[in-house]
Amino acid sequence: MIAMSRLTMANYWFESVVAEYEAAHSFTGTVGFKIEVPAHVRLRLNGMDGSERLILDIEHVRQLAEELPKLLMAHDAAEHVRIEQAAAEKSAASSLAA
């Protein structure tokens, strides 16, 4: 099976995100043809001008789940460096003022 995800977007500033799982299912279209819909995760990005949806195939969700911990660790490390640097600069400024 080929993993297929979709994205449509008009907003650029989002206030919250909602994730919803939808199991594989089938449905019959308006002209009577049957469509098989694979399991997926729907992300709704809520913004000031409405919301956008990102539909992720389960394989893409698995890939994202593997990458998120690494991204969060990189962010935490960068934040730690930023805080330490700000503290060092404040300490240096205090030493010069004294």
Side-chain angles (χ1 to χ4, degrees):
M1 179 169 68
I2 297 173
M4 295 180 58
S5 297
R6 302 179 303 280
L7 172 64
T8 60
M9 190 174 292
N11 290 307
Y12 59 90
W13 189 264
F14 301 105
E15 299 168 338
S16 66
V17 62
V18 176
E20 300 167 326
Y21 170 76
E22 189 167 325
H25 63 281
S26 61
F27 89 82
T28 303
T30 56
V31 292
F33 58 90
K34 190 173 182 179
I35 298 172
E36 296 297 326
V37 180
H40 59 274
V41 170
R42 180 179 296 131
L43 297 177
R44 189 174 69 237
L45 305 166
N46 298 313
M48 295 168 46
D49 298 327
S51 65
E52 304 294 343
R53 286 180 172 70
L54 172 60
I55 310 296
L56 291 173
D57 181 273
I58 292 301
E59 289 307 312
H60 291 154
V61 172
R62 291 182 195 285
Q63 291 172 7
L64 186 58
E66 288 178 14
E67 294 300 318
L68 283 175
K70 297 178 217 171
L71 295 171
L72 289 172
M73 284 190 290
H75 167 72
D76 291 345
E79 283 294 297
H80 178 74
V81 168
R82 185 186 63 80
I83 291 168
E84 291 294 317
Q85 185 176 9
E89 289 171 2
K90 184 176 179 181
S91 177
S94 295
S95 296
L96 291 176

